[in-house]
Amino acid sequence: MSEEILKALMQLFAIIAKQDEGLSVNEREYVHTFLKQQLNESSVKEYLTLFDNFIGLDKSLDDDSKPKKSKPKLTSVRDSVKTLGIAKKINKTLTQKQKVVVLVRLFELVNSDQKFTPQRMAIIDTAAEVFNISREEYQAIEAFVLNKADADFSHSDMLIIGAIDHDENNDKVSNYINSPQLEGRIIILRVPSVELYFLRYTGSSELLLNGLPIINTRIYLFANGSVIKQPKGKPIFYTDVAATFLSDSDAINVVLRADDVTLQFPNGYIGIRDIHLQEQSGKMIAIMGSSGAGKTTLLNVLSGINDPTKGKVILNGIDLHEDKEKIKGIIGYIPQDDLLIEELTVYENLYFSTKLVYRDLTKEEVDEKVIKVLTSLGLFHIKDLKVGNPLNKKISGGQRKRLNIGLELIREPSVLFVDEPTSGLSSRDSENVMELLRELAVRGKLIFVVIHQPSSEIYKMFDNVVILDEGGYQIYYGNPVEAVIYFKTLDNQINSDIGECPSCGNVNPETIFSIIESRIVDEYGRPTANRKVMPNEWNDQYRQRHKRISKDENYDKLPEAFKKPNWINQFRIFFTRDLFSKLANTQYLVLNFLEAPILGFLLAFVIKYIDDPTSNVYIFRENENLMPYIFMCTIVALFLGLIVSAEEIYKDRKILKRETFLNLSRSSYLFSKIGILFIISAIQAFLFVLVGNFIFEIKGMYFEYWLVFFSLAAFANVLGLNISSAFNSAVTIYILIPFLIIPQMVLTGAMFNFDKINRALGGGRDKVPVIAEIMPSRWAFEGLVVHQYKENKYYSKFYDLRRVESICNFKNVYYIPELRSYIESYRFRKLNDNKPYISEDDLELLRNEIYREENSEFANKHNLRFEKMDKLYPDKFSMEVYRSLNEYLNKLQDFYRENFNNINDIIDSRISKMVSTPEKRKEYRQLRNDYHNDYLADFAKNRYAPLAIVRLDNRLVQKNDPVYLNPQDPNIFSLRTHFLAPKKNFF
C-alpha cells in the first residue's frame, strides 16, 4: 500500500473515530493492530502519530498510552466534504478488491467499540458509494461485521462452519460445512463482485489460519490457498469454502481412473510405468517431477493423445482410448505453447472458437458469451488488441496464457488437461493463471496440471499431486502438503511431521525434490553422480504405503458432445477466421499483392527490347523474348503458389492438435484453406498478367494468360499444403521448394528439346516423355505457346488454312518421298542383280503408314485407298505390287500437291483483300506487328529441327510443324501426344 493511500486511510479512520464521544481505547488499539499488519515497527509509530494528529489529541501518544478525552466533535459539513475527497482519492488508486477490504476495515473500526451511531455509519456509507460498492454487498458486509456472534446469518453469500444438526430446521443458514468437533462457529462472507472471502470466528479454540492464531474479535481475509487448522478435526481449505459457493449443481460428476498405465516408445524407452490414480470433478491435480520424468507423457496418455502400451484410462466407465467418439467434447487440452492465431485480436480468437463449438447460438449470443468469458478472465480491456507472438508482443505473457485457457473455457469441457501453464510467466502472472484454474476446479471441473517448481501459494492450490521420478516411476500420489511430510519421514529428517512453516504457513515443494534427488557424497564431502535412492526404490516405497483406491462403478452418464456446426458452417467459420487473420496481417498482404505485379513489371520491362538499332519503335512481332516470357510466367506462378501455401498447415499444426478434441471436420478446414489460397493466387495472377502483358504488349489474351497462371498457382497451392502437412520444420519446407520447382523448369520443354533428353526418363521421339506428362509447368507452357500462336487476333484468321497447307506440304515434300524411298530400293535391286528384295521391317513400315494414311482426315474423306494391302509381305511382294504401290503414292502426291496449291491460292486471295488499299495495307501490317510473333512461330513450328521426318522403329514421325499436327494416337482416352499439339484426345 502506498504512502499516500495509507495517509488517506489514517485520515478516514480519524474522521470516523472522532465522531460523537470521540476516540476510544479499543478504536485506537484497532488502528495500531492494523498498522502492525501493514508496516514495520518504526513506521507504525510514525503513522499512529499521524492518526493522533488527525484526531486532534493534545499530545502524541506512544503505543501504551491511553488517549485523553478530547472534546467530542459532531459530524460537520467540513467532515462530510473531507470524507468525500479522501474516498475519491482512494478510489482512483486502489483496485476494486482493495476498496472492498478498506470498507470492511472501516466497519471493523466502528465495531471495535460497538459505536454504531448515525454519524459514523453515514461516513462509511459515503465511502461505499464513492467506491461503487453495490447496496446488496454493502448490506452483506455490514451484517457480517456488525452482527453479534449468536446472530443468524441467512444471507446467500454467507457460510457457516461448525457443528450443525441436520434434523433441526436451519432455514436461516443458506450454506454450511459440518465440522462437529469445532467449538463455536466460523462465519465466511463471500463478496461475489470481486470474489473475496472474509472470515470471523465466534468460539475460543486455538485455530490457526495459515499457521497464525485466529483472534475471535478480528475479521480475516480468507485468501486463495488458505487453510484453517483446528485442534481436533480435519483442516478446512479455501477450496472447500469456494466450492460451496461456486460449484455448479448441474455439472456432471466425472470420474477419471488410470489402471496401471504404461507407455513404451517405439525406440524401447519407457515413458511412464504402472501409473494408478483416480480423481473426480471439483479437483485440481498437479503432475510433478524432474525433467524427463514423463510428466507431459502422462498428461498426453490421460487426455487420449497417446495410446498406452499397457493399462487403461477410464472416464465414467468409458475406455478413453478405445471409445474416443463417446467422449468427444468432454476433454479439453491446453498445451505449453500458446496456441493462438497471432493476427487476430483477443476477441476474435475467442469468437471463432465459440462459433466452432456452438451451432445454435446467434451472433448476439456468441458475442455475449465471449464478452462474459473475457470479463471473467480480466481480458475485456484488451479485447481489441492483436495477440501477436512472443517475439512481437501485443499482449503480456500472462494475458496470453489466460486467453489460451479461455479458448477451452468457452466450450466448458468437463476434464481439462494443462501443460506447464506458468512457464515463462512472472510470479504474479503465474498466480493469476493458477487462480483461474483453481476457480474452474471449484466450479466442478476436473483439472490435471503439469507444473514445474511452483511457489508455495500455487502448490497449496492443488487438491492432490502425482510425483514422477526418472524413468516414469510413480513415487507419490496424494495431498500436496502431506507429500512433504511423506518424503521427510522416509528421509528420517527432524520435524518430519511438519509440512509447512508454523509461522507463515509456507510450503516449500523444493524440499521434496531435494530429498528425491539427493546424491551420495564422497570422502571429501563432494556429491557424486550416484543417487542415494534410485527411482525404482522410491516406487517400491510408494507401493508399500499406498492404498489402492477402490473402483467406483456408479458413474453419471456423460453428456452429448457440444453441438458443433455442420460441414458447410464449419467451412464458413474456418474460411472467415483465416480471411480475418490474413487481412489483419498488413505485411503479409502488402508483400503478397505487390510481389506479383513487381515481378511482372521487372520481367516484362527487362526483356522488352527493340530489334532495330536505328528505331525507337517497339514491335511485338520482332521481340525474340516472348517464349522466355511465357516460360518465366509458369515458373513465377509455381513459385508464388508454393510460397503462399508452404507454411499454412505447418503453422496451424498446434491449433489443429487442440481442435482434434472438438471433433471438427478436417476436410472443411482443408477446403477453407484451399479457398483462401485460390483467392490470393487469383489476385496475384491477375496483377502479374495485367502488368506483365501490358508492358510486353501481349494484346487480347489477358484472360487466357490469367487462367493458365492461376491454374498453375492453384496446383502449387495444393502442393504447398501437402508439403506443409508432411514436414515439421519451416526450414525443411523452404529447402524443399527448389527441389520441386527446378524439375518443373527443366521439363517444361522450353529449356531443353524433349528429343534430346535421357530416354531412361520414359521419353520417345514421337511423344512427350512420361515424366514431363506429370509436370504442370509443361502443360501450362505448352498451352500458352500454342494458344498465343494459333489464337492471336492476326493468325487466327489463317491458322486453319495454314494447317492444311502444312499437312499438304509435309506429305508432298517429305512424307511421300520417304515412303517412295523404301520401295525404290526394291526396284534398284531388281534392275541390278535380278534378285528383288525388300526387308520385312520396311514392309511393316509401309503397311503401318499406308493404313494410317488411309484413315487420315483427308485421304479417308476422298477414299484414297491402296487395294493391295494384303500383298505387302515378303513372300507376296512383286513388281506388280511395286507398280500398284508406286501408282498409289503418285495419286497421293498429286492429291496433296493440288490441295496445297488451292490452299495457297485461298491464302493469297485473303491476304490480297486485306492489303488491297494503302490504308488496309497499313492496318494489316499493324495487326501482324501487334499480335503475331515470328520467333514464337519458329518455336511452335520447330523450324530449327534438323530433320522434318524421322523413322522410329517401323513408323515415320513428323518433326516439323508440330503445332499443326493433331494427335496420332487414335484412342480418344489417350492423354499422351507430341509436344505442342494443337489439341488433345482427352480433355
Side-chain angles (χ1 to χ4, degrees), residues 67-347:
K68 293 183 178 180
K69 287 285 183 180
S70 57
K71 184 179 179 181
K73 298 180 180 179
L74 300 178
T75 304
S76 64
V77 174
R78 181 180 176 186
D79 281 342
S80 298
V81 173
K82 189 179 291 185
T83 301
L84 193 62
I86 295 168
K88 286 182 177 179
K89 180 189 289 187
I90 294 174
N91 194 52
K92 292 179 181 178
T93 311
L94 296 185
T95 63
Q96 195 63 24
K97 284 187 176 182
Q98 291 170 322
K99 294 171 193 174
V100 170
V101 173
V102 168
L103 184 66
V104 170
R105 297 310 176 204
L106 293 178
F107 273 119
E108 197 175 8
L109 172 68
V110 173
N111 191 51
S112 64
D113 208 39
Q114 299 287 304
K115 293 180 179 179
F116 310 130
T117 64
Q119 292 93 333
R120 294 178 180 229
M121 300 309 292
I123 292 172
I124 296 176
D125 190 65
T126 300
E129 189 174 343
V130 175
F131 290 166
N132 294 315
I133 294 173
S134 70
R135 200 68 197 166
E136 183 181 354
E137 289 186 348
Y138 174 86
Q139 291 170 351
I141 294 170
E142 182 181 24
F144 173 73
V145 178
L146 303 186
N147 276 354
K148 296 180 180 179
D150 59 351
D152 291 325
F153 294 89
S154 60
H155 199 281
S156 61
D157 287 321
M158 291 190 191
L159 176 143
I160 306 298
I161 303 173
I164 296 178
D165 187 352
H166 292 281
D167 296 328
E168 64 175 311
N169 185 5
N170 256 325
D171 293 337
K172 292 186 178 181
V173 179
S174 299
N175 304 296
Y176 68 87
I177 296 176
N178 192 21
S179 183
Q181 295 175 318
L182 179 65
E183 180 198 343
R185 288 180 172 184
I186 297 172
I187 302 143
I188 304 288
L189 170 70
R190 173 184 176 234
V191 183
S193 65
V194 289
E195 205 56 44
L196 280 181
Y197 297 86
F198 294 94
L199 172 155
R200 60 179 297 187
Y201 176 49
T202 64
S204 57
S205 295
E206 294 182 359
L207 301 187
L208 295 178
L209 174 62
N210 298 331
L212 299 174
I214 296 177
I215 302 170
N216 58 11
T217 59
R218 292 292 318 281
I219 305 294
Y220 296 91
L221 180 64
F222 194 51
N224 202 333
S226 296
V227 58
I228 303 170
K229 290 191 175 180
Q230 35 185 334
K232 298 177 182 179
K234 292 172 60 178
I236 299 161
F237 294 94
Y238 170 86
T239 54
D240 299 326
V241 172
T244 305
F245 289 106
L246 301 177
S247 60
D248 186 355
S249 59
D250 296 328
I252 187 170
N253 184 45
V254 171
V255 179
L256 185 142
R257 188 178 76 251
D259 288 335
D260 298 323
V261 171
T262 298
L263 176 63
Q264 185 173 8
F265 293 107
N267 62 5
Y269 179 79
I270 297 178
I272 52 175
R273 305 168 188 260
D274 302 324
I275 304 297
H276 178 84
L277 57 88
Q278 180 171 310
E279 292 294 348
Q280 64 180 7
S281 298
K283 298 292 184 69
M284 186 163 77
I285 296 88
I287 301 175
M288 298 178 65
S290 59
S291 297
K295 301 186 295 296
T296 301
T297 302
L298 175 58
L299 194 77
N300 289 341
V301 170
L302 294 178
S303 62
I305 294 175
N306 294 339
D307 294 338
T309 309
K310 187 184 77 171
K312 293 183 177 181
V313 179
I314 307 297
L315 186 66
N316 279 28
I318 298 172
D319 190 314
L320 191 144
H321 297 93
E322 295 294 330
D323 300 310
K324 292 183 178 181
E325 291 301 317
K326 294 182 180 179
I327 58 165
K328 289 292 186 181
I330 303 299
I331 290 176
Y333 182 83
I334 303 175
Q336 182 176 352
D337 298 324
D338 300 328
L339 305 186
L340 307 170
I341 301 176
E342 298 165 358
E343 295 82 9
L344 296 182
T345 64
V346 171
Y347 173 86

Side-chain angles (χ1 to χ4, degrees), residues 7 34 50 244 317 330 463 591 619 713 723 919:
K7 285 181 179 179
F34 172 80
L50 185 64
T244 305
I330 303 299
D463 297 290
L591 287 176
I619 301 174
I723 65 172
E919 291 78 13

Side-chain angles (χ1 to χ4, degrees), residues 19-64:
Q19 303 303 313
D20 305 304
E21 297 179 358
L23 178 67
S24 70
V25 174
N26 289 339
E27 287 173 337
R28 189 171 185 278
E29 182 60 32
Y30 171 79
V31 175
H32 184 209
T33 305
F34 172 80
L35 290 172
K36 285 172 69 175
Q37 292 175 334
Q38 305 291 328
L39 306 168
N40 57 37
E41 193 62 33
S42 60
S43 298
V44 167
K45 291 183 178 181
E46 177 187 346
Y47 281 94
L48 194 59
T49 301
L50 185 64
F51 172 75
D52 291 338
N53 292 335
F54 286 141
I55 288 289
L57 296 180
D58 294 339
K59 65 184 186 72
S60 297
L61 302 170
D62 58 27
D63 295 346
D64 299 324

Side-chain angles (χ1 to χ4, degrees), residues 493-537:
Q493 293 190 6
I494 59 172
N495 298 325
S496 59
D497 59 334
I498 299 175
E500 60 182 350
C501 175
S503 59
C504 65
N506 285 339
V507 179
N508 184 12
E510 282 300 308
T511 303
I512 299 172
F513 295 101
S514 298
I515 295 170
I516 293 171
E517 299 175 1
S518 60
R519 306 285 172 174
I520 297 173
V521 296
D522 59 19
E523 62 270 23
Y524 299 106
R526 294 174 299 196
T528 64
N530 299 319
R531 283 172 47 165
K532 288 182 180 179
V533 183
M534 299 303 292
N536 60 316
E537 295 172 338

